Amino acid sequence: GSAYFLGHNGEGELGDGTTTDRLTPVAVAMPAGLTFSSVGVGRAHTCGLTPGGAAYCWGYNSRGRLGDGTTTDRLTPTAVVMPAGATFTSMSVGWDHACGVTPAPVAYCWGRNAWGTVGDGTTTNRLAPVAVLMPSGVTFTRIAAGWSHTCALTPVGAAYCWGSNDGGRLGDGTTTDRLTPVAVVQFVSR
């Protein structure tokens, strides 16, 4: 449950309480009793998910990418402001945002939202997790945060994406940015 990182640390993304670059792995300065079951890295921020489903992030906090309700950079893990009663079963960290899926399953995202990356129907940056506006009757079990877009899978394997659609990265047959999830066009082989 301990985490170790190395490399560039200019914004505190290694979580060791400093901004000193590290050439060898250094332990994340974990709050007492905290362990992670998974971690993910973004451009200059890092997040960890505890076995109990709580999220912690650290590093560069421009546009709220740490989800702690502020834009203050953090040199050690800081709790994400979780929705009331929510825990995450999985989490993904993108370039400037992060997302998690609850057991319900409901998806939440936070951080930079310039192209609708957060999926809440707006382009307003979010400092804490907000619910993704999922299509009626659709639930997500897995989520992947990318550079300027996000994709998720349903329990039956259907894919949905949202955010920047530059170059057709959302797979919906267009290059139109999407503020909420749209179905990926399914390929049928003959």
Side-chain angles (χ1 to χ4, degrees):
S2 298
Y4 290 80
F5 290 95
L6 64 127
H8 178 73
N9 196 25
E11 285 75 40
E13 57 264 51
L14 301 185
D16 67 344
T18 76
T19 56
T20 304
D21 295 347
R22 302 296 183 170
L23 301 179
T24 58
V26 62
V28 172
M30 308 281 276
L34 187 69
T35 61
F36 293 132
S37 56
S38 66
V39 294
V41 296
R43 180 174 68 88
H45 70 295
T46 309
C47 296
L49 186 62
T50 70
Y56 286 76
C57 296
W58 58 95
Y60 188 50
N61 200 13
S62 171
R63 302 179 180 100
R65 69 185 77 187
L66 301 185
D68 67 349
T70 77
T71 56
T72 303
D73 296 347
R74 306 293 182 175
L75 303 181
T76 58
T78 301
V80 170
V81 179
M82 300 291 284
T87 59
F88 293 143
T89 55
S90 67
M91 184 174 63
S92 179
V93 181
W95 185 259
D96 283 337
H97 73 295
C99 299
V101 177
T102 69
V106 175
Y108 289 87
C109 294
W110 61 94
R112 187 173 188 194
N113 197 20
W115 302 275
T117 315
V118 170
D120 68 344
T122 76
T123 56
T124 303
N125 296 332
R126 299 301 181 178
L127 305 183
V130 294
V132 173
L133 295 178
M134 302 185 324
S136 179
V138 173
T139 59
F140 297 137
T141 56
R142 297 188 52 91
I143 198 161
W147 175 70
S148 59
H149 68 297
T150 308
C151 294
L153 288 176
T154 69
V156 296
Y160 286 77
C161 295
W162 58 95
S164 172
N165 204 5
D166 183 46
R169 70 184 72 189
L170 301 185
D172 68 346
T174 76
T175 56
T176 303
D177 294 349
R178 304 295 182 169
L179 303 181
T180 58
V182 293
V184 171
V185 176
Q186 300 296 312
F187 173 75
V188 179
S189 66
R190 295 184 184 243

